[in-house]
């Protein structure tokens, strides 16, 4: 999970300091990293209700399949090597 609260607070406060009324589109344009629309809407509603943005976390993007396969292959190799060492020790 990634906490994007500070990014949302910064975007909203910057807009308000410029005299602009924060909107979902303006906030989204000010963010340095993409954020899901429901998170932006929640932050904006909370800010309008009490000038405070609640803690908002979003899930990070899953790893691409190639990366995941490579990691798993490395784990299998390491476990196979450990198993070979243990079998060798057990045979002695």
């Amino acid at each position: 999970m990634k906490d994007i609260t500070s990014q949302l607070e910064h975007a909203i406060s910057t807009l308000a300091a410029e005299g602009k009324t924060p909107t979902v589109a303006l906030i989204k344009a000010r963010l340095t990293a993409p954020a899901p629309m429901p998170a932006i809407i929640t932050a904006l509603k909370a800010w309008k209700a009490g000038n405070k943005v609640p803690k908002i976390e979003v899930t990070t993007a899953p790893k691409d399949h190639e990366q995941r396969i490579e990691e798993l292959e490395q784990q299998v190799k390491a476990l196979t090597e450990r198993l070979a060492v243990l079998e060798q020790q057990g045979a002695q």
Side-chain angles (χ1 to χ4, degrees):
M1 298 288 272
K2 180 181 176 187
D3 185 1
I4 61 167
T5 307
S6 60
Q7 289 181 27
L8 290 167
E9 285 176 335
H10 179 70
I12 292 170
S13 63
T14 303
L15 288 165
E18 292 174 1
K20 297 178 181 175
T21 303
T23 64
V24 173
L26 288 175
I27 295 168
K28 189 168 180 73
R30 297 284 174 114
L31 294 176
T32 56
M37 290 295 242
I40 298 171
I41 292 167
T42 300
L44 182 58
K45 282 182 179 179
W47 181 81
K48 283 182 177 178
N51 246 5
K52 186 174 183 207
V53 176
K55 181 175 183 179
I56 297 178
E57 294 181 333
V58 294
T59 56
T60 54
K63 295 181 180 180
D64 125 317
H65 293 297
E66 294 296 322
Q67 289 175 326
R68 185 70 180 133
I69 290 170
E70 187 175 318
E71 288 176 0
L72 291 171
E73 286 174 342
Q74 289 172 356
Q75 287 179 354
V76 168
K77 182 181 176 185
L79 290 171
T80 302
E81 291 171 357
R82 286 177 58 191
L83 180 61
V85 169
L86 290 173
E87 286 176 340
Q88 213 173 27
Q89 289 174 352
Q92 293 176 356

